[in-house]
Amino acid sequence: MNKIKNFIRKIKQKVCYGIRVLQDNSGMSVIELLLILVVIIALILIFKNQLTDLVNTIFEKITSESAGI
């Protein structure tokens, strides 16, 4: 009879542990961060030419205006 109680207690512990694991949301932030990074990388790849032109224009303005100082 004692073996059966121990077996049932171990099963309850495993079930409770499984429920705690399913209710844990700590990994959700990692998934959200990865999805945001994927979207940012995709936008960079899509607008690569426009971003390059914008950065070049900004650096040209900085260079031309710093010569006047």
Side-chain angles (χ1 to χ4, degrees):
M1 194 68 161
N2 217 4
K3 288 183 179 182
I4 294 173
K5 287 183 180 180
N6 282 339
F7 181 72
I8 290 174
R9 185 174 43 99
K10 287 182 181 181
I11 290 177
K12 285 182 181 179
Q13 288 174 346
K14 296 291 182 182
V15 168
C16 288
Y17 176 75
I19 290 172
R20 282 195 310 266
V21 167
L22 290 175
Q23 290 176 343
D24 185 20
N25 291 331
S26 63
M28 291 302 289
S29 61
V30 174
I31 294 172
E32 291 168 356
L33 182 62
L34 286 174
L35 288 174
I36 291 170
L37 285 174
V38 167
V39 169
I40 289 173
I41 291 171
L43 288 173
I44 288 172
L45 291 175
I46 291 171
F47 297 109
K48 181 181 176 184
N49 293 332
Q50 290 88 345
L51 289 172
T52 305
D53 292 340
L54 177 65
V55 170
N56 286 335
T57 305
I58 290 171
F59 280 127
E60 287 173 6
K61 280 190 175 185
I62 291 172
T63 306
S64 67
E65 291 187 15
S66 66
I69 293 177

